[in-house]
Short mmCIF file of all heavy atoms in Angstrom, two decimals:
data_model
loop_
_atom_site.label_atom_id
_atom_site.label_comp_id
_atom_site.label_asym_id
_atom_site.label_seq_id
_atom_site.Cartn_x
_atom_site.Cartn_y
_atom_site.Cartn_z
N CYS O 125 -34.16 5.85 2.26
CA CYS O 125 -34.17 6.79 3.39
C CYS O 125 -33.47 6.21 4.62
O CYS O 125 -33.99 6.29 5.74
CB CYS O 125 -35.61 7.19 3.76
SG CYS O 125 -36.48 8.05 2.43
N CYS O 126 -32.31 5.60 4.41
CA CYS O 126 -31.55 5.05 5.53
C CYS O 126 -30.41 6.02 5.88
O CYS O 126 -30.02 6.86 5.07
CB CYS O 126 -31.01 3.66 5.22
SG CYS O 126 -30.15 3.53 3.66
N ASP O 127 -29.91 5.89 7.10
CA ASP O 127 -28.87 6.81 7.57
C ASP O 127 -27.49 6.45 7.07
O ASP O 127 -26.63 7.33 6.90
CB ASP O 127 -28.87 6.85 9.11
CG ASP O 127 -30.15 7.47 9.65
OD1 ASP O 127 -30.41 8.65 9.33
OD2 ASP O 127 -30.89 6.79 10.37
N ALA O 128 -27.25 5.18 6.86
CA ALA O 128 -25.93 4.73 6.38
C ALA O 128 -26.12 3.56 5.44
O ALA O 128 -26.95 2.67 5.68
CB ALA O 128 -25.04 4.34 7.57
N LEU O 129 -25.32 3.54 4.38
CA LEU O 129 -25.45 2.49 3.38
C LEU O 129 -24.06 2.23 2.80
O LEU O 129 -23.29 3.16 2.58
CB LEU O 129 -26.42 2.93 2.30
CG LEU O 129 -26.94 1.89 1.30
CD1 LEU O 129 -28.36 2.23 0.88
CD2 LEU O 129 -26.05 1.84 0.07
N ALA O 130 -23.73 0.96 2.57
CA ALA O 130 -22.40 0.62 2.04
C ALA O 130 -22.51 -0.53 1.04
O ALA O 130 -23.24 -1.50 1.27
CB ALA O 130 -21.45 0.25 3.17
N LEU O 131 -21.77 -0.40 -0.05
CA LEU O 131 -21.61 -1.48 -1.02
C LEU O 131 -20.23 -2.09 -0.78
O LEU O 131 -19.22 -1.38 -0.81
CB LEU O 131 -21.71 -0.94 -2.44
CG LEU O 131 -21.45 -1.95 -3.56
CD1 LEU O 131 -22.54 -3.03 -3.59
CD2 LEU O 131 -21.37 -1.25 -4.92
N LEU O 132 -20.21 -3.39 -0.54
CA LEU O 132 -18.97 -4.09 -0.21
C LEU O 132 -18.65 -5.14 -1.27
O LEU O 132 -19.54 -5.86 -1.71
CB LEU O 132 -19.08 -4.78 1.16
CG LEU O 132 -19.61 -3.93 2.33
CD1 LEU O 132 -19.83 -4.81 3.55
CD2 LEU O 132 -18.63 -2.82 2.66
N GLY O 133 -17.40 -5.22 -1.66
CA GLY O 133 -16.94 -6.30 -2.52
C GLY O 133 -16.41 -7.43 -1.66
O GLY O 133 -15.91 -7.19 -0.55
N TYR O 134 -16.51 -8.66 -2.16
CA TYR O 134 -16.09 -9.82 -1.36
C TYR O 134 -14.99 -10.59 -2.07
O TYR O 134 -15.07 -10.84 -3.28
CB TYR O 134 -17.27 -10.76 -1.12
CG TYR O 134 -16.91 -12.04 -0.39
CD1 TYR O 134 -16.73 -12.04 0.99
CD2 TYR O 134 -16.75 -13.23 -1.09
CE1 TYR O 134 -16.39 -13.21 1.66
CE2 TYR O 134 -16.42 -14.41 -0.43
CZ TYR O 134 -16.24 -14.39 0.94
OH TYR O 134 -15.90 -15.55 1.60
N GLU O 135 -13.95 -10.95 -1.34
CA GLU O 135 -12.90 -11.81 -1.86
C GLU O 135 -12.11 -12.40 -0.69
O GLU O 135 -11.83 -11.72 0.29
CB GLU O 135 -11.95 -11.05 -2.78
CG GLU O 135 -11.35 -9.80 -2.16
CD GLU O 135 -10.42 -9.07 -3.10
OE1 GLU O 135 -9.74 -9.74 -3.90
OE2 GLU O 135 -10.37 -7.83 -3.04
N GLN O 136 -11.81 -13.67 -0.79
CA GLN O 136 -10.94 -14.35 0.17
C GLN O 136 -11.32 -14.08 1.62
O GLN O 136 -10.52 -13.62 2.42
CB GLN O 136 -9.48 -13.94 -0.09
CG GLN O 136 -8.99 -14.32 -1.47
CD GLN O 136 -7.56 -13.93 -1.71
OE1 GLN O 136 -6.91 -13.29 -0.89
NE2 GLN O 136 -7.03 -14.32 -2.86
N GLN O 137 -12.59 -14.33 1.95
CA GLN O 137 -13.08 -14.19 3.32
C GLN O 137 -12.97 -12.76 3.85
O GLN O 137 -12.81 -12.53 5.05
CB GLN O 137 -12.33 -15.14 4.25
CG GLN O 137 -12.48 -16.61 3.91
CD GLN O 137 -13.92 -17.09 4.10
OE1 GLN O 137 -14.48 -16.97 5.20
NE2 GLN O 137 -14.52 -17.63 3.05
N LEU O 138 -13.07 -11.79 2.94
CA LEU O 138 -12.88 -10.40 3.35
C LEU O 138 -13.83 -9.51 2.56
O LEU O 138 -14.03 -9.70 1.36
CB LEU O 138 -11.42 -10.02 3.09
CG LEU O 138 -10.96 -8.59 3.36
CD1 LEU O 138 -9.53 -8.59 3.90
CD2 LEU O 138 -11.00 -7.75 2.09
N PHE O 139 -14.41 -8.52 3.24
CA PHE O 139 -15.26 -7.52 2.60
C PHE O 139 -14.47 -6.22 2.46
O PHE O 139 -13.84 -5.75 3.41
CB PHE O 139 -16.53 -7.25 3.40
CG PHE O 139 -17.65 -8.22 3.13
CD1 PHE O 139 -18.15 -9.03 4.14
CD2 PHE O 139 -18.20 -8.32 1.86
CE1 PHE O 139 -19.19 -9.92 3.89
CE2 PHE O 139 -19.24 -9.21 1.60
CZ PHE O 139 -19.73 -10.01 2.61
N ARG O 140 -14.55 -5.62 1.27
CA ARG O 140 -13.85 -4.36 0.99
C ARG O 140 -14.87 -3.32 0.57
O ARG O 140 -15.57 -3.49 -0.43
CB ARG O 140 -12.82 -4.57 -0.12
CG ARG O 140 -12.14 -3.29 -0.58
CD ARG O 140 -10.86 -3.60 -1.36
NE ARG O 140 -11.12 -4.20 -2.65
CZ ARG O 140 -11.17 -3.52 -3.80
NH1 ARG O 140 -11.03 -2.21 -3.78
NH2 ARG O 140 -11.35 -4.14 -4.94
N PRO O 141 -15.00 -2.20 1.30
CA PRO O 141 -15.96 -1.16 0.92
C PRO O 141 -15.62 -0.57 -0.45
O PRO O 141 -14.49 -0.20 -0.72
CB PRO O 141 -15.79 -0.11 2.02
CG PRO O 141 -15.26 -0.86 3.20
CD PRO O 141 -14.36 -1.91 2.60
N LEU O 142 -16.64 -0.50 -1.31
CA LEU O 142 -16.47 0.07 -2.65
C LEU O 142 -17.10 1.45 -2.76
O LEU O 142 -16.63 2.30 -3.52
CB LEU O 142 -17.10 -0.86 -3.69
CG LEU O 142 -16.55 -2.29 -3.74
CD1 LEU O 142 -17.35 -3.14 -4.72
CD2 LEU O 142 -15.08 -2.29 -4.11
N ALA O 143 -18.17 1.67 -2.02
CA ALA O 143 -18.83 2.98 -1.98
C ALA O 143 -19.67 3.04 -0.71
O ALA O 143 -20.25 2.03 -0.30
CB ALA O 143 -19.69 3.21 -3.21
N THR O 144 -19.73 4.21 -0.10
CA THR O 144 -20.50 4.36 1.13
C THR O 144 -21.25 5.67 1.11
O THR O 144 -20.91 6.61 0.36
CB THR O 144 -19.59 4.34 2.39
OG1 THR O 144 -18.75 5.50 2.37
CG2 THR O 144 -18.74 3.09 2.43
N ALA O 145 -22.29 5.77 1.95
CA ALA O 145 -23.03 7.01 2.15
C ALA O 145 -23.42 7.06 3.62
O ALA O 145 -23.87 6.06 4.19
CB ALA O 145 -24.28 7.05 1.27
N GLY O 146 -23.21 8.20 4.25
CA GLY O 146 -23.56 8.36 5.65
C GLY O 146 -22.54 7.80 6.62
O GLY O 146 -22.78 7.78 7.82
N LEU O 147 -21.39 7.34 6.12
CA LEU O 147 -20.34 6.81 6.97
C LEU O 147 -19.11 7.70 6.91
O LEU O 147 -18.93 8.46 5.96
CB LEU O 147 -19.97 5.38 6.54
CG LEU O 147 -21.06 4.32 6.70
CD1 LEU O 147 -20.62 3.00 6.07
CD2 LEU O 147 -21.40 4.10 8.18
#
Side-chain angles (χ1 to χ4, degrees):
C125 298
C126 50
D127 293 300
L129 193 148
L131 176 66
L132 311 172
Y134 176 79
E135 54 180 326
Q136 299 180 355
Q137 299 294 303
L138 177 145
F139 276 118
R140 175 163 69 97
L142 302 175
T144 66
L147 295 173

